[in-house]
């Protein structure tokens, strides 16, 4: 294509393929701080090499491999690209209103409420059942339409307690949650 001869890096491909917009959420575009495009292209290259080796074993002929950083970046966000096409380019939020990373009193907590029953459970777990009675959050559709506002309400409550408190509460409510760890904490865990 028209970009085939241009030099490229992970950061440039994040910008080209919309990855930076997705990483920035509803704010300014952001660069994902790991080389996600480079790494995914390497994974695809590994699959291609294995397929070529299998073909050579079966047929005795080799293959030419052409690995694209752009295709790798696009494949990682194929559902977001499809959403964009289906919506005519309208801004898309998350697929679920209860997904996010929230600051607690002493760290960060990742939540993944991927069904509305989980969102309702999350609202109950933070002690804010009153939110479900508010017209702006009274239905699934309204919670999705106003997900940024709902996240602000959740964030306000999460910030009032330490991460350990919320891990206990969320696990007791059978909600998907995880303390956000540094690389060194991850290695120790």
């Amino acid at each position: 294509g028209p970009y085939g001869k241009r030099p490229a890096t992970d950061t440039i491909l994040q910008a080209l393929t919309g990855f930076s917009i997705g990483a920035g959420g509803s704010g300014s575009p952001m660069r994902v701080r790991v080389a996600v495009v480079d790494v995914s292209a390497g994974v695809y290259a590994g699959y291609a090499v294995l397929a070529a080796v299998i073909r050579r074993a079966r047929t005795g002929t080799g293959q030419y491999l052409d690995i694209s950083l752009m295709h790798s970046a696009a494949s990682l966000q194929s559902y977001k690209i499809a959403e964009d096409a289906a919506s005519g380019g309208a801004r898309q939020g998350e697929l679920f209103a209860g997904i996010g990373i929230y600051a607690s009193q002493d760290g960060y907590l990742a939540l993944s409420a991927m069904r509305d029953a989980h969102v309702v459970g999350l609202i109950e777990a933070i002690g804010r059942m009153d939110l479900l009675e508010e017209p702006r959050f009274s239905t699934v559709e309204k919670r999705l339409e106003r997900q940024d506002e709902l996240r602000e309400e959740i964030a306000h409550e999460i910030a009032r307690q330490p991460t350990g408190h919320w891990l206990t509460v969320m696990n007791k409510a059978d909600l998907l949650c995880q303390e956000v760890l540094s690389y060194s904490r991850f290695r120790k865990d």
Side-chain angles (χ1 to χ4, degrees):
Y3 300 109
K5 300 293 182 199
R6 289 176 59 185
T9 64
D10 201 281
T11 300
I12 298 304
L13 268 296
Q14 286 183 37
L16 173 68
T17 61
F19 214 108
S20 300
I21 296 292
S26 59
S28 298
M30 292 179 63
R31 175 185 164 274
V32 176
R33 292 180 52 185
V34 294
V36 66
V37 176
D38 290 342
V39 170
S40 67
V43 170
Y44 287 127
Y47 288 144
V49 167
L50 289 174
V53 167
I54 290 169
R55 180 172 186 235
R56 186 189 67 194
R58 290 183 179 163
T59 67
T61 62
Q63 256 184 304
Y64 172 78
L65 304 179
D66 184 12
I67 307 302
S68 165
L69 288 173
M70 185 177 68
H71 291 154
S72 298
S75 73
L76 293 175
Q77 43 189 341
S78 57
Y79 76 96
K80 294 302 278 182
I81 293 169
E83 278 179 12
D84 183 74
S87 72
R91 179 190 175 272
Q92 298 294 309
E94 295 286 351
L95 292 174
F96 308 97
I99 292 177
I101 296 180
Y102 300 91
S104 69
Q105 245 179 20
D106 63 352
Y108 292 92
L109 181 71
L111 297 172
S112 187
M114 296 190 55
R115 294 190 178 112
D116 195 60
H118 296 152
V119 175
V120 171
L122 171 59
I123 291 169
E124 183 177 359
I126 64 171
R128 291 293 311 273
M129 288 301 285
D130 61 293
L131 291 174
L132 298 176
E133 296 169 13
E134 288 189 28
R136 63 188 175 141
F137 303 131
S138 62
T139 66
V140 175
E141 293 79 15
K142 289 180 180 179
R143 288 190 282 278
L144 285 172
E145 286 171 12
R146 302 180 87 109
Q147 58 184 274
D148 290 341
E149 292 174 47
L150 181 56
R151 281 195 193 87
E152 286 177 24
E153 296 286 351
I154 295 167
H156 177 73
E157 296 303 321
I158 298 294
R160 297 173 61 175
Q161 296 288 338
T163 303
H165 167 81
W166 291 119
L167 289 171
T168 300
V169 168
M170 300 300 169
N171 284 321
K172 190 178 220 179
D174 205 25
L175 297 169
L176 292 170
C177 65
Q178 172 60 51
E179 178 181 6
V180 176
L181 302 179
S182 66
Y183 291 128
S184 58
R185 282 277 315 278
F186 168 69
R187 287 192 329 270
K188 289 177 185 172
D189 266 16

